[in-house]
């Protein structure tokens, strides 16, 4: 089965290309924010939901106005894609998976997406619309044989590094089936706790980096505003930040790949960001460790490699339920790390007990149906090809 997969590389644009990219990023950001304002206003003032098509038509009108001619100086494709990105942000918001979309800021990461009609792919090089020369890409690993990019996203992070993410379709072979299954829970003291008792990724893992970051931030704060030294210090902060993000992503990818390789079925608790915001402590912990990014990696890797990911409703009492006898506690404060069941006397580590419950209920759900039980509540992703039913004679 063909799967979409993104390959990311470092890019070294020429000064001229940097200028074109800077303008493109700026226009994309403008259009994104303009459309977000439009959608928000339409919703609040007229209780109306605007879709891509509506906003796209208004963009065409906007570009005709004299004050906005500069929007026509760059390729129109990334602007259309910015509208698509916003549409996606709204879809995940309405599904309760992400908070309400926010305005893009100049000082954050910048990006622009080009679909295949806005770049030329020739002899392993990529030339973007409005550019005369191909991009200087450092091919740290090869694209799969015969791959043809369907879209590319150029980005610039806060540390002034440029990247290209190339989307290709490729055949990914399923792994050999295994009988092993596992439950994974988001630990409070650690990143992931498995139902077999394994505890992975202590926050101290990143402690050194965080000390470095704090030091760089203090130095930055001491510099005079608007000075050259302050900009230098800002870049230093951004670089430490970038390294932390890179490391976490790397960690998350290695772990998700390992779990997918080792297990046929993986059960996790799904988190609803919407409800997480209510607990500031927890929401920080979650954003810090990037649980949702980790789960989405598990999700697409399960589909690639023919594994199953079972997501359990967050409202299932995984922490408060005794795995041994099924007794459910009335409450279990966040700071309680271990507890003893009043019913059967079993002593539990909070996170391991939760992971065991997630594992058990996940398997029950998966074996019972292998598909959604209640829409939006328990979702299972199965990489197994559907059995075709032959008509009985
Ligand atoms: Zn018990």
């Amino acid at each position: 089965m063909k799967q979409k997969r993104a390959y990311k590389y470092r890019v070294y644009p020429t000064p001229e290309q940097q200028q074109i990219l800077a303008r493109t990023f700026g226009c994309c950001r403008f259009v994104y924010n303009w459309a977000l304002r439009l959608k928000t206003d339409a919703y609040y003032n007229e209780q109306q939901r605007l879709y891509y098509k509506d906003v796209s038509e208004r963009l065409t009108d906007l570009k005709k106005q004299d004050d906005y001619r500069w929007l026509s100086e760059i390729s129109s494709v990334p602007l259309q894609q910015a509208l698509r990105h916003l549409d996606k942000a709204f879809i995940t918001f309405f599904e309760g998976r992400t908070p309400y979309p926010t305005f893009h800021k100049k000082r954050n990461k910048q990006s622009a997406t080009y679909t295949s009609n806005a770049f030329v792919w020739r002899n392993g090089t990529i030339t973007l619309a409005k550019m005369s020369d191909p991009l200087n890409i450092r091919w740290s690993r090869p694209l799969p044989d015969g791959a043809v990019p369907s879209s590319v996203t150029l980005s610039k992070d806060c540390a002034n590094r440029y990247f290209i993410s190339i989307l290709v379709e490729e055949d990914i072979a399923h792994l050999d089936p295994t009988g092993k299954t596992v439950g994974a829970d988001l630990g409070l003291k650690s990143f992931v706790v498995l139902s077999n008792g394994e505890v992975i990724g202590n926050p101290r893992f990143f402690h050194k980096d965080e000390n470095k970051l704090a030091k760089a931030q203090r130095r930055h704060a001491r510099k005079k505003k608007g000075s050259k030294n302050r900009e230098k210090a800002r870049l230093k902060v951004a670089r430490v930040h970038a390294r932390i993000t890179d490391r976490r992503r790397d960690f998350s990818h290695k772990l998700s790949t390992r779990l997918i390789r080792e297990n046929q079925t993986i059960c996790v608790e799904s988190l609803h960001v919407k409800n997480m915001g209510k607990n500031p402590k927890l929401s920080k912990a979650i954003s810090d460790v990037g649980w949702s990014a980790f789960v989405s990696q598990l999700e697409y890797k399960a589909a690639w490699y023919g594994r199953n990911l079972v997501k359990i409703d967050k409202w299932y009492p995984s922490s408060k339920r005794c795995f041994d006898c099924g007794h459910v506690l009335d409450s279990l404060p966040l700071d309680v790390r271990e507890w003893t069941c009043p019913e059967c006397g079993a002593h539990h580590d909070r996170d391991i007990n939760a992971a065991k419950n997630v594992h058990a209920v996940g398997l029950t759900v998966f074996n019972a149906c292998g598909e959604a039980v209640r829409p939006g509540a328990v979702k299972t992703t199965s990489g197994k090809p559907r059995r075709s039913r032959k008509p009985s004679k």
Side-chain angles (χ1 to χ4, degrees):
M1 206 166 56
K2 291 267 186 204
Q3 309 273 8
K4 281 194 171 171
R5 189 170 186 170
Y7 286 81
K8 197 174 174 182
Y9 304 96
R10 194 74 191 266
V11 175
Y12 299 90
T14 63
E16 190 205 347
Q17 290 172 337
Q18 284 184 28
Q19 252 182 17
I20 297 171
L21 283 175
R23 255 193 290 160
T24 309
F25 292 149
C27 291
C28 286
R29 199 175 61 235
F30 171 82
V31 165
Y32 186 93
N33 291 344
W34 165 82
L36 174 55
R37 170 63 55 77
L38 214 60
K39 286 186 179 213
T40 307
D41 287 352
Y43 186 70
Y44 278 97
N45 302 339
E46 296 144 50
Q47 282 72 53
Q48 196 193 6
R49 204 173 148 185
L50 293 182
Y51 290 94
Y52 171 79
K53 204 177 131 277
D54 313 311
V55 183
S56 177
E57 277 168 15
R58 294 206 206 177
L59 176 62
T60 312
D61 292 338
L62 184 78
K63 284 167 82 175
K64 284 178 195 150
Q65 294 177 28
D66 280 344
D67 287 350
Y68 297 98
R69 290 253 182 252
W70 45 275
L71 284 173
S72 308
E73 287 169 13
I74 64 149
S75 164
S76 62
V77 173
L79 301 182
Q80 299 294 336
Q81 291 305 308
L83 296 183
R84 296 241 182 243
H85 288 320
L86 182 62
D87 250 32
K88 261 186 210 150
F90 269 101
I91 288 170
T92 55
F93 165 71
F94 283 117
E95 287 173 355
R97 282 156 57 203
T98 51
Y100 195 81
T102 52
F103 292 114
H104 282 172
K105 295 191 183 89
K106 196 179 175 185
R107 60 184 157 84
N108 291 347
K109 186 186 154 189
Q110 307 293 310
S111 71
T113 300
Y114 296 74
T115 47
S116 59
N117 53 341
F119 66 85
V120 176
W121 164 252
R122 193 179 293 140
N123 304 330
T125 65
I126 289 171
T127 311
L128 298 179
K130 308 264 176 187
M131 287 186 187
S132 42
D133 297 315
L135 290 165
N136 176 12
I137 301 170
R138 194 170 57 118
W139 298 99
S140 44
R141 55 177 172 159
L143 281 179
D145 275 342
V148 177
S150 61
S151 83
V152 301
T153 297
L154 269 289
S155 61
K156 183 191 175 194
D157 71 5
C158 303
N160 294 345
R161 301 180 301 176
Y162 291 84
F163 296 93
I164 187 168
S165 175
I166 304 174
L167 200 63
V168 298
E169 271 205 338
E170 71 175 295
D171 268 319
I172 302 174
H174 283 184
L175 295 166
D176 290 336
T178 162
K180 280 169 104 183
T181 63
V182 78
D185 195 51
L186 171 65
L188 278 185
K189 261 182 105 179
S190 44
F191 181 53
V192 172
V193 177
L194 300 183
S195 52
N196 59 19
E198 192 182 339
V199 177
I200 308 162
N202 195 294
R204 244 175 259 153
F205 183 79
F206 301 111
H207 206 59
K208 247 189 176 168
D209 279 338
E210 266 149 22
N211 282 345
K212 247 186 209 163
L213 182 64
K215 211 170 150 190
Q217 278 167 338
R218 279 200 301 274
R219 200 169 287 155
H220 174 241
R222 277 202 302 269
K223 303 290 182 224
K224 217 176 119 195
K225 274 194 182 156
S227 69
K228 252 189 192 166
N229 280 335
R230 192 172 165 99
E231 172 56 19
K232 256 192 228 162
R234 185 202 65 81
L235 207 58
K236 174 86 184 161
V237 172
R239 280 201 191 114
V240 179
H241 231 289
R243 191 164 55 227
I244 293 174
T245 320
D246 287 355
R247 263 189 206 170
R248 284 193 179 162
R249 193 188 304 116
D250 192 49
F251 171 79
S252 183
H253 269 298
K254 276 188 182 139
L255 183 58
S256 54
T257 299
R258 191 194 113 193
L259 291 184
I260 289 287
R261 281 194 180 282
E262 288 175 357
N263 300 283
Q264 187 62 37
T265 302
I266 298 153
C267 312
V268 295
E269 211 172 9
S270 71
L271 294 170
H272 295 273
V273 185
K274 230 181 192 174
N275 302 310
M276 280 303 158
K278 286 179 188 154
N279 185 331
K281 221 185 197 170
L282 203 58
S283 82
K284 187 188 177 304
I286 285 151
S287 62
D288 277 357
V289 294
W291 174 259
S292 57
F294 175 68
V295 170
S296 71
Q297 286 166 10
L298 285 175
E299 197 159 19
Y300 69 72
K301 286 177 189 177
W304 287 354
Y305 296 116
R307 301 301 207 212
N308 313 302
L309 179 73
V310 188
K311 293 206 264 180
I312 306 304
D313 191 332
K314 163 185 145 50
W315 302 116
Y316 177 81
S318 57
S319 298
K320 293 189 290 185
R321 182 186 181 273
C322 168
F323 177 74
D324 292 32
C325 75
H327 178 76
V328 179
L329 297 175
D330 288 337
S331 71
L332 186 64
L334 281 177
D335 54 343
V336 177
R337 313 293 327 149
E338 290 175 33
W339 58 281
T340 304
C341 175
E343 198 65 31
C344 73
H347 190 70
H348 296 298
D349 171 283
R350 178 203 184 96
D351 294 336
I352 295 174
N353 177 64
K356 282 179 177 172
N357 278 323
V358 166
H359 186 210
V361 76
L363 289 187
T364 311
V365 166
F366 183 71
N367 292 332
C369 50
E371 281 202 38
V373 170
R374 188 146 63 80
V378 182
K379 204 177 127 204
T380 65
T381 311
S382 169
K384 279 188 280 189
R386 261 178 208 201
R387 251 176 282 159
S388 56
R389 271 199 207 134
K390 278 182 194 154
S392 49
K393 276 173 194 168

